[in-house]
Amino acid sequence: ITNNTNGMSPKITGELLRQLRHAMRNCKYFSEPIQAYIVPSGDAHQSEYIAPCDCRREFISGFNGSAGTAIITEQHAVMWTDGRYFLQASQQMDNNWTLMKMGLKETPSQEDWLISVLPENSRVGVDPWIIAADQWKTMSKALSSAGHSLVALQDNLIDVVWIDRPERPSKQLRTLGLEYTGISWHDKITALRAKMTERKITWFVATALDEIAWLFNLRGADIEYNPVFFAYSIVGMNSIRLFVDLKRLQIPAVKEHLQLDSPSKPELNIQTFPYESVYTELQAVCAALSPKDKVWICDKASCALTQVIPKSNRSPIPYTPLCLAKAVKNETEIQGMKVAHIKDAVALCELFAWLEKEIPKSTVTEISCAEKAEEFRSQQKDFIGLSFPTISGVGPNGAIIHYRPLPETNRTLTMNEVYLIDSGAQYIDGTTDVTRTMHFGTPSAFEKECFTYVLKGHIAVSAAIFPNGTKGHLLDSFARAALWESGLDYLHGTGHGVGCFLNVHEGPCGISYKTFADEPLEAGMIVSDEPGYYQEGSFGIRLENVVLVVAAKPKYNYRNRGSLTFEPLTLVPIQVKMMNTELLTQRERDWVNDYHRKCREVVGAELERQGRKQALDWLIRETQPIV
Amino acid sequence: ITNNTNGMSPKITGELLRQLRHAMRNCKYFSEPIQAYIVPSGDAHQSEYIAPCDCRREFISGFNGSAGTAIITEQHAVMWTDGRYFLQASQQMDNNWTLMKMGLKETPSQEDWLISVLPENSRVGVDPWIIAADQWKTMSKALSSAGHSLVALQDNLIDVVWIDRPERPSKQLRTLGLEYTGISWHDKITALRAKMTERKITWFVATALDEIAWLFNLRGADIEYNPVFFAYSIVGMNSIRLFVDLKRLQIPAVKEHLQLDSPSKPELNIQTFPYESVYTELQAVCAALSPKDKVWICDKASCALTQVIPKSNRSPIPYTPLCLAKAVKNETEIQGMKVAHIKDAVALCELFAWLEKEIPKSTVTEISCAEKAEEFRSQQKDFIGLSFPTISGVGPNGAIIHYRPLPETNRTLTMNEVYLIDSGAQYIDGTTDVTRTMHFGTPSAFEKECFTYVLKGHIAVSAAIFPNGTKGHLLDSFARAALWESGLDYLHGTGHGVGCFLNVHEGPCGISYKTFADEPLEAGMIVSDEPGYYQEGSFGIRLENVVLVVAAKPKYNYRNRGSLTFEPLTLVPIQVKMMNTELLTQRERDWVNDYHRKCREVVGAELERQGRKQALDWLIRETQPIV
């Protein structure tokens, strides 16, 4: 995200905080002053990536990491963030701010800290649109039990003091035909209603931007890296309401796609409303509810919208039916994802072939290499943009898990250090996400050893056969077993769901040691497989493929449950030079050779078609069988 | 448990139900009649095994499985139980009863069923002593939201109609000296108080029988298989209250052990009270609480006791500090467990050597074999009794996971069928639990194949190296990978915590695909490792060792976290005849040979010392290295 990063000099916040505290005391905005104000990270849709107009926590503090919560009282301005961002936050914030290092034993929770500093009977304010319903509940309960109250403020106080706050983006919408989506939005609505009927639900409130984009087969560009647009939707058995900046619907293609002028059936008539009117419309819907009516809303939706629904009618769910349906890709989407991954592999083969020539000249840096990768990707058909900011790290920078090269940290790629690049793109037919770790000179025995353990973990997941209905978190330890055996590990999950020309991170499945409420893996789901190893101050290793869940056919079929395994969609060679092949079993060597054969066949044909001779030579050399 | 099983003829319950319904309408017991009465399985301590006087659900229904909840209304008598017991429950209950098969899609939950049958504003009664606080909460919430109420009835209505209900057992207490416990009860109290101070807790209420036995270094015999006694304890910073049938404390050894007449320090003075007075004493304690005082109680403790503590003072915890401390065995306990397992192995070597001779005569049955195993165990020093009812299953009976041989199901051991025996004992120095699967003729290729996959899973867990702080559920898939690869699986967890001369099942750790809130594994914890495979109607395979968590020393030590692995305490040969050794890797073969070498050395020496020549010959033959 172009976070207006001002490098490492802190933002001067004294005057802003003075103004904010004035607003906290100002009864223009509410009946009584508030003693503390909470500024969470997110937007009203609980998006992982957010638009500039929603970067309120960054605006007030200067800290632009992806996770963090600010709390401002009359005396204090305090920031909670996690270990990834301790250094960055302390460099970006001036001394008006106190950093709370989450995960350390002595660090109090936000609730405990508030209770320790607040005068009796305090009012703590928060914008109910950007706090999720479940977080509101926890915070409100803790404050109440100590005699305070959490107060929903309709006016966002950061916006009050943010004079030059950017406009909410409203980029042009893109319609996706059946050749990309495989299912019309009509059929998606019908399937949603069938699920609602089955569970006796009368209304469904959609708040997640990727779910709304998926449902209507539309894409936007409101948030960088994520092809989504700001919208809400409320779906009933005979009604579809779409809340979106109405001028976006004036384009004939969009109008026609949504059949706004001539719905095919009355129950497929989309009523359109301004984005901002979702609150009052939901109130109107709820006013007409009978006591038995149930309304589905995600338990991570905003507190503001959730609380519109009377508690007795509210049926909160951890994952919406759209989230679940979206996760299982249909044949058209799978084909699109395959094509996107072949194009992406072409770009990376070009990149790596180019790097081999350029690195000896010492002219390539982490930043320029990331730019070159984007340039090669942009030459591919239907390229839209990157799917996330490229992680491009040389030597010690590779060991910083969420590293993004900045001018101050930028290192030159050399023959002496390990290079890690984690990158991906949005194409109209699919989304990619791939990590490769390479050495352009001679890796050390320790680097090779660690790389090989990571590879063994990657293969153990990728080649695993497991029963239908298995949750992804049960596979996480397979990725770690080889590292554990040597006393090593990595402190992140092993995989995440991947959207199809949608968000590169999506629920409800994943592969992690954290036993969050993931849904069982199903054929058609797409996840990443990305174990790693990070030697602080020295090098980082990660091997990431995007893999498709497919049916497996082992010898037996216990209780007719059926079995699943993974098929790699990513087809980029894994550097053999980094492997200590003696540490691999015969089955692992076979896996590497099979994988490389497939890379050569499939990507080689496309390189040939595109006339990319140099990259083809590189591919052929890098996919020689190992013995 | 001697459940007075009347074989497979149903209990006649018409008259009992008539009397119970009369009691439900009888305002002698409460202000207004109740429309439904819930009869859970447990006792007031939420014990897994219960005493005859607490078998109320069995008394009213005839169904004596270990899990089940009965609900009686004016019109209905309904039993919920799970798949293990569908057949048994339907055979043991007469046609006054309706069986609700839990786990089937069409089966309503207890709450939903009650709501569907109850007249408006109904009162549902339950004995608050035998429903856990967390279950009460769920049920009460569901009923309230439908306009009904859950009512705590001080008089248990089953006891009202149960004329010849057995007395609550009050067997003699046994004191355990430091040579068995390693830590005095004084030091356990001091450690508990240190934890309380650390978390600012003023009182702790102990309700689990094994925790109380462990805390005071006492054992009882009130519940079969579990060396516990009925008691409660309330511990404050200067006070220890023990609630127990007072006549048990008249024995001089017990008096002296607890220093009832001459406490060494005032804060180690144990005040004793009758078992029944815990409620009023806890009320007295709570009446004196200041608003800031916090009382620890397990969230699985009875609703009755939990609700005595004012909500603002209550601090419910999933595992008590006693549960956590008890799980980590000290050096003395570990030595005791090792000795107990050697004695247990001697008994099993005798059994298997004896079986080899006897089976060809066709005189050994599942029941007689279980009895013989008990006989051999009873010859060992400090034998107290079995640690659970022996599972002894031939051929298809072995495929019933919780099978216990009954006269009607009893099969003869032959040369043609697989035999599974899962058994264990209580010795004063430790508790055992071991499963072996054997064939006394020639196993089929499929039986060997399945056995070998189970063995691979057993070894994968037993030999796993993993970081300190890893939770057991992250190891579960290691036990299944080989089965999964061939499309097979088993539908139970892989391991449970094991007490030291205490309950054979204990928290807070285990190895399971169910992601319950298990605590991280630590050196000194003891769990079972017991994957299996069950071919319905044909055979069952399970291989179970009790294993000790020990420090491992791999090559590296990432972030100084340290590593752990397992050391088998069970030392009984695994039948080589059942293995397809070609399916084993070299490392797995090495593991088998190392394990068998240790069995031969350690158990062989003891067999020699005990002069058990025949068993020694068997051991030596069964521990020949495989190649």
Side-chain angles (χ1 to χ4, degrees), chain B residues 181-333:
Chain B
T181 65
I183 310 179
S184 68
W185 64 260
H186 309 86
D187 290 345
K188 289 179 179 177
I189 291 276
T190 305
L192 168 62
R193 285 176 174 155
K195 288 231 170 87
M196 290 165 65
T197 304
E198 190 188 313
R199 308 300 301 270
K200 300 192 179 115
I201 300 292
T202 33
W203 293 95
F204 166 65
V205 183
T207 65
L209 300 185
D210 61 339
E211 296 182 14
I212 297 166
W214 177 85
L215 177 62
F216 292 105
N217 291 336
L218 290 172
R219 296 294 185 269
D222 292 354
I223 294 180
E224 205 176 358
Y225 309 113
N226 298 308
V228 296
F229 55 97
F230 286 102
Y232 293 99
S233 181
I234 304 178
V235 179
M237 298 313 288
N238 292 298
S239 146
I240 306 167
R241 298 176 204 204
L242 176 62
F243 303 84
V244 66
D245 179 3
L246 290 177
K247 70 169 183 289
R248 310 171 91 158
L249 304 179
Q250 295 312 313
I251 299 159
V254 175
K255 242 182 183 166
E256 194 186 329
H257 174 85
L258 295 177
Q259 300 185 312
L260 296 183
D261 296 330
S262 54
S264 56
K265 294 178 191 173
E267 69 270 24
L268 292 174
N269 179 25
I270 298 177
Q271 296 172 271
T272 61
F273 298 85
Y275 174 70
E276 293 75 16
S277 65
V278 63
Y279 190 84
T280 49
E281 276 301 314
L282 183 58
Q283 278 182 320
V285 164
C286 290
L289 291 177
S290 82
K292 285 208 161 176
D293 286 337
K294 291 280 174 201
V295 181
W296 258 345
I297 188 163
C298 184
D299 59 12
K300 281 155 225 71
S302 72
C303 170
L305 274 191
T306 303
Q307 295 196 344
V308 169
I309 309 165
K311 211 172 168 186
S312 58
N313 297 113
R314 204 187 297 158
S315 186
I317 37 178
Y319 297 109
T320 74
L322 299 188
C323 177
L324 292 162
K326 174 166 63 61
V328 182
K329 275 69 179 173
N330 61 46
E331 263 317 305
T332 307
E333 290 171 321

Side-chain angles (χ1 to χ4, degrees), chain A residues 10 139 213 278 324 372 441 510 515 565:
Chain A
M139 175 63 81
V278 62
L324 292 161
K372 196 74 188 174
T515 51
T565 187

